[in-house]
Every structure is written in structure tokens, then in C-alpha cells.
Amino acid sequence: MKSRDELMQIIRMYDFALYDLMLYLDTHPDCRKAAAQFEQYRQKRAAAAEAYVQQYGAFQAMQTDTSKRWSWGAGPYPWEQEAN
């Protein structure tokens, strides 16, 4: 089980790589290697985000389970000191 900080760092790493690949693909839309890398990192980022949500709760409002009640504002938010 990874700590909250470790999982958030992994998510940020994938976010950076995905954003960089997105910029590259904007100018090289036919590059299959970059597109495959983008998909690979997208899947890994999704898995890391799901692990974070399962262990520590939502870190984005769209990850909140609304089947019972709206809990996004219950905090602490991932960027607040008491969450770390």
C-alpha cells in the first residue's frame, strides 16, 4: 500500500507526461509511437487515481460518489496540510 504522498506524486508524474505527449501529438498527430505512449500513461494514471480514491478519497470533484450524498466539500482536500 502506497502512502498518500507517493500516490499523488505518481499521479502528478503521469499528468506531466500526458500533458507533454498531448502537446507533442498536437503537432505530430500521426506519430503512432507517441499515441501508444499516451494511451499507456493514460491507463497507468487512471489506475493510480483509482487506487488513490479507494484508499484516501476523491482528489477531484468528479471522483465523488454521489449515490449517498455530496461529500466533496467534506475535506480535507489533498492540497491541504492536514491531508498530508
Side-chain angles (χ1 to χ4, degrees), residues 7-82:
L7 278 172
M8 190 54 69
Q9 185 62 31
I10 290 168
I11 292 165
R12 287 184 190 126
M13 176 188 69
Y14 288 131
D15 283 345
F16 180 85
L18 286 165
Y19 187 72
D20 197 42
L21 282 164
M22 183 177 58
L23 293 174
Y24 179 81
L25 286 164
D26 282 347
T27 59
H28 301 80
D30 297 322
C31 181
R32 298 309 313 146
K33 184 177 178 183
Q37 241 183 342
F38 184 89
E39 181 58 25
Q40 178 185 20
Y41 288 150
R42 189 192 63 74
Q43 290 176 9
K44 289 182 177 185
R45 195 256 188 220
E50 180 62 27
Y52 186 99
V53 170
Q54 292 297 316
Q55 292 176 35
Y56 304 108
F59 64 91
Q60 294 176 314
M62 63 190 128
Q63 296 166 324
T64 301
D65 178 10
T66 59
S67 63
K68 295 182 179 112
R69 65 182 291 271
W70 181 252
S71 62
W72 172 243
Y77 298 107
W79 55 86
E80 293 179 320
Q81 185 64 33
E82 52 274 3

